[in-house]
Structures are given as C-alpha cells and as structure tokens.
Amino acid sequence: MVRDKRSAWLVAAALLTGCLLRCWNINQSFWWDEIWSTMTYVRADSLWDVVSNLGYYFNNHILYSLLARTSVQALGESEFAARLPSVVMGILAISAIFRFGKLYLGNWSGMVAAFLLSLSAFHIDHSSEARGYAGLALFSILSSFYFFKGLKTDTVKDWTLYILCTVLGFYSHVFMIAVAMSQFCAWLLFLQGEKFSFAKSSISQRAFRNFFFAFSCAGITTLVIFSPVLPAFLKNVGKVQLVTVSRFPFLAILADAILPGSATAVGSVVYSILFVAGMYFISKKDHTLFLYFTVLFILPLSLYLLINPMFVFERYFIFAVPFILLVVGQGTVGLVERLRGTYKYATVIGVFAILVLLQLPALGRTLGQDRQNYREAVRYVTSEITADEDYLIFSIGYAGEHFRYYAPGTTVYNPQTVDELSSLMQGKKQIWCLITA
C-alpha cells in the first residue's frame, strides 16, 4: 500500500512537471508551420475541407486539425486554444509510457521513463505547438501497449483498442507507418520464436492470428478514413525527390535531440552505458519486447536513410522517443538493483542528477526560444506606421502571408522582381521589409 501511494505521488509529480513545461510557451506567437498548416484548417469553412485536404507536402495533420478546430470553437481563437490538444496529448504520453513500463518492465522503469519524458526538450517542443507530433508519440505508445497486451491476453477489448490507437496514430501523422511496420516485422520474428531462444508457446497461435486480423482491420480503416485525401497523398508522394547527400550529420543531430547532451563526452558515455544495459536487461526479462524495440529503433531509420528523400527532420522520429527513454530507464533501474547498501541510493541520486543536468541546456533553449514571432512583428510595424504618411510593407518569400494572419487588414506586397519593388517604393516615406528566417 505504501509503495502504491509513493508511486502515485511520483507519477503525479512527473505529470505536473510535464504540464508546467509544456504550458511554458503555450501563449507564444504562432510560427510558420502552425499558421501555414494547422490554422488554415482550423478556419476552414467545413469539416469536409479539413478531412479532404492534405496541404503541400502532407502539412495537414488531420486529427490535430480536427482537435484544434474543436478547441478553438469552444474557447475562441488563440494560441492557447490551438495548442491545447497538443499539450494534453503530451501529458497523456507521460502517463502512457509509465503504464507501458510498469506492466512490461516494472514500476521503477516506468517511473524513470515518465520523468525523463516529462523533461524531454524534444517532446516538450512538439507538445507545445499546434501540430500532430504529440499525437504521433502518444498513439505510438498506446498502439504498442495494446499490441503486446493483445498478444499476451488475446481479448477482443485489447485488439479493439489496438485498432483504434493505430488508426488514430495514422490520422495524427503518416509516420505512424514506422510503428505499424515495426509491429508487423516483430510479429514475423515472433512466429519464428524457437530460433530466437524464447518459447513460441508464450504467445498462442490464436493470438498470432488475431493480431493479423486486427492489423488488417487497422490498415483497412486507415485507408477508408484517408480516402478523401488519397489522390492528394499520391500526388504529394510524387513530388518528393530522392537525394544523394550523406545523412550521417543528421544522425548526430537526431541523437542529441532525443538524448540531450549525447554529443558531449559525459553524455555519450552515460547514455551508451544505460542504453546498452537497458537493452540487455530487457532481453533477459522479455525477448519479445527486446526484439520489438530492436526493430523499432533500427528498421524505420535505416529505410528512411536508404531511400533518402529530400526532407528529413528529427520530429519525424518522435515515435521512438518514449521507448528509447524507457530503455534508458530500464538500464538505470537494472544497474541500481545490482548494488547493495549505501552505494545503491547514492547511485540512484547520482545517475538521476546526471540525466537531469544533461537535459538542462536543451530545456533552456526550448523554453527560451522565440521561433518566428509574427505577432510581435505586427505590433511593432503597426505602432511605427503613422496614418498621414504613405508607407509600403513588402515581404520576401512567404513572410507576408504569415504576417497577414495577425494583421488581416494590412496590405503586404510580394514583389517578384527588383523593378517591381522599385516601382512600389516610389513616393513612400516608410518602407518595411518582412523576412522569415
């Protein structure tokens, strides 16, 4: 009873910490992607416009657009209302990874993972913007949770929840394909269980068949709900160009985003030890989970780098963040459990303090960043313009479109040539140029 009460307090502390950090910038000015993508669909004339448009290069994260639209209609249009669904899903992810860790690896592993996720600058950043990445992270956890629960308990309820979470993951972001593909490949490996030194009978033949049925249902349902945007989806796929540039620098950037401080000597040593130890302890506790994590961490990234499309951003791989932190948590707990006496508690405090210190620089950058402050730009320009003077506001590129969101009645010109700009400038006493970094 005492241990359960202590766990409840610690989970509550992780959730409170996560909530405070994710609300830190919730009222900050919208930035490029939020105005260009989400707010376009929040303001759409009808729900059909939301679910039948994909935007340029998959910009419409449909589930998030629907949630943000509902939030804005209920609370009024503001940065807070548009970002609130993302904050909520980010906080739910902390609870979900704790529940996942507690069920499959133990209470303390889930606890450490929950705290690390609550402090993850990468996750905080994408849980406090009006985009679908927090949903991708959340439903990756929940889909994986019910994937394993279904295989182990084989109940209609668990397989139904697996289908629901997987479909919602796809509706959050198309990169849910990485999670679904990893689950399917892991399932194929489980079928060959006898070759991997774990009992094939630990998963019943019926559960194997039911996963395939549930997986198929999730796939069919996803195709049905995406049917209004399938033509646009295929068109966008055709626009994606493949490149031949090296992606090795990206791997270092991705590693430092997921595990802040991993580029430093101390961070690389600490994370390497904890991650390797975590995977080792997981392999001893549950071979199926070890195989799934191995596939999830390697296969999607390897395929993406092999195909090498023109776009590659760290946020595409946010689905792996909670599970990597869970492995680090398992490594921490597993190593500490092998110690005795005073050294055990000193090690717990020391390792956790190091992990927190490694997060601080990234946390400072995330909480202190101002992104692209269109709102303040509008306030400044409009405060400097005088009614009796002729003025010109022009933009280079798309900055003007985003400026207009906060100043809908202001004319922002977008000259295409130097001669056109020179003509516009004739006789103007104030000239303002808007450039988006």
Side-chain angles (χ1 to χ4, degrees):
M1 182 65 71
V2 173
R3 180 174 296 181
D4 290 341
K5 188 174 292 187
R6 184 192 304 163
S7 296
W9 279 108
L10 289 173
V11 172
L15 291 171
L16 178 61
T17 301
C19 179
L20 291 174
L21 293 175
R22 283 154 183 78
C23 288
W24 191 270
N25 287 326
I26 195 170
N27 289 315
Q28 195 178 68
S29 169
F30 287 127
W31 69 291
W32 177 289
D33 276 7
E34 292 174 306
I35 295 175
W36 190 28
S37 302
T38 305
M39 297 313 295
T40 298
Y41 301 103
V42 166
R43 290 176 158 189
D45 293 333
S46 67
L47 285 176
W48 178 251
D49 289 335
V50 179
V51 301
S52 61
N53 288 283
L54 198 57
Y56 193 72
Y57 284 126
F58 317 105
N59 287 85
N60 183 15
H61 302 166
I62 301 176
L63 177 62
Y64 196 85
S65 295
L66 292 170
L67 292 174
R69 182 183 176 90
T70 302
S71 179
V72 165
Q73 288 176 344
L75 303 174
E77 186 167 334
S78 67
E79 293 85 356
F80 175 86
R83 290 173 176 149
L84 183 59
S86 188
V87 171
V88 171
M89 288 190 287
I91 296 168
L92 290 175
I94 298 171
S95 177
I97 198 60
F98 167 72
R99 187 181 176 197
F100 187 106
K102 180 180 179 181
L103 182 61
Y104 299 118
L105 295 175
N107 190 63
W108 284 106
S109 297
M111 195 74 66
V112 174
F115 265 105
L116 290 177
L117 190 60
S118 74
L119 296 172
S120 169
F122 188 40
H123 192 260
I124 291 167
D125 191 22
H126 295 295
S127 298
S128 53
E129 64 173 0
R131 304 288 279 130
Y133 298 103
L136 174 60
L138 171 63
F139 292 114
S140 295
I141 300 169
L142 294 176
S143 174
S144 300
F145 179 86
Y146 288 109
F147 167 61
F148 278 98
K149 203 159 185 288
L151 288 175
K152 294 176 185 296
T153 63
D154 195 29
T155 64
V156 173
K157 176 185 175 182
D158 289 331
W159 286 126
T160 301
L161 289 171
Y162 167 78
I163 294 170
L164 176 63
C165 293
T166 303
V167 171
L168 290 176
F170 273 105
Y171 222 39
S172 296
H173 197 281
V174 293
F175 250 66
M176 185 66 186
I177 187 66
V179 179
M181 177 177 58
S182 298
Q183 291 168 353
F184 187 79
C185 291
W187 172 75
L188 292 176
L189 291 176
F190 299 163
L191 284 172
Q192 303 298 318
E194 293 174 345
K195 299 179 182 178
F196 291 91
S197 303
F198 64 87
K200 188 176 179 181
S201 59
S202 63
I203 300 174
S204 69
Q205 289 300 312
R206 179 183 169 184
F208 277 123
R209 291 192 300 270
N210 284 341
F211 164 74
F212 185 79
F213 177 76
F215 185 84
S216 301
C217 288
I220 293 170
T221 306
T222 298
L223 287 174
V224 170
I225 64 173
F226 266 100
S227 58
V229 296
L230 276 181
F233 181 87
L234 296 174
K235 182 180 178 180
N236 283 350
V237 168
K239 290 189 296 186
V240 176
Q241 300 176 14
L242 306 184
V243 296
T244 57
V245 298
S246 171
R247 295 298 189 187
F248 285 108
F250 170 74
L251 294 177
I253 295 171
L254 179 62
D256 197 51
I258 295 175
L259 298 171
S262 59
T264 66
V266 173
S268 61
V269 171
V270 171
Y271 284 128
S272 296
I273 292 173
L274 294 179
F275 185 83
V276 172
M279 290 297 283
Y280 171 77
F281 294 133
I282 290 171
S283 71
K284 294 297 182 182
K285 183 168 289 190
D286 189 334
H287 280 76
T288 57
L289 193 59
F290 171 80
L291 283 173
Y292 176 60
F293 283 173
T294 301
V295 173
L296 184 67
F297 298 155
I298 296 176
L299 182 62
L301 181 60
S302 298
L303 285 176
Y304 198 84
L305 297 180
L306 181 65
I307 298 170
N308 209 1
M310 58 193 290
F311 294 121
V312 57
F313 298 105
E314 302 95 287
R315 58 182 180 264
Y316 291 167
F317 300 93
I318 196 171
F319 63 84
V321 172
F323 302 109
I324 290 174
L325 297 181
L326 183 58
V327 172
V328 171
Q330 177 63 19
T332 303
V333 172
L335 290 174
V336 168
E337 284 178 344
R338 279 151 180 77
L339 299 175
R340 295 288 184 272
T342 306
Y343 295 106
K344 181 174 183 177
Y345 299 104
T347 302
V348 171
I349 296 171
V351 171
F352 194 76
I354 291 172
L355 291 174
V356 171
L357 288 173
L358 288 170
Q359 313 298 314
L360 292 182
L363 269 176
R365 289 192 299 271
T366 297
L367 299 179
Q369 69 180 341
D370 209 17
R371 288 197 175 112
Q372 297 144 341
N373 199 335
Y374 295 101
R375 185 177 62 198
E376 190 58 34
V378 167
R379 288 175 179 173
Y380 179 74
V381 172
T382 53
S383 69
E384 294 292 319
I385 291 174
T386 54
D388 58 342
E389 290 186 339
D390 203 5
Y391 62 88
L392 166 69
I393 302 176
F394 75 96
S395 70
I396 297 175
Y398 293 101
E401 293 183 16
H402 298 76
F403 187 92
R404 289 189 199 98
Y405 175 82
Y406 284 106
T410 303
T411 301
V412 181
Y413 293 93
N414 186 216
Q416 301 301 306
T417 66
V418 174
D419 290 340
E420 185 182 351
L421 175 59
S422 298
S423 176
L424 290 169
M425 292 171 62
Q426 293 296 321
K428 300 297 189 295
K429 293 184 177 181
Q430 288 190 349
I431 299 173
W432 297 90
C433 177
L434 305 175
I435 303 175
T436 299

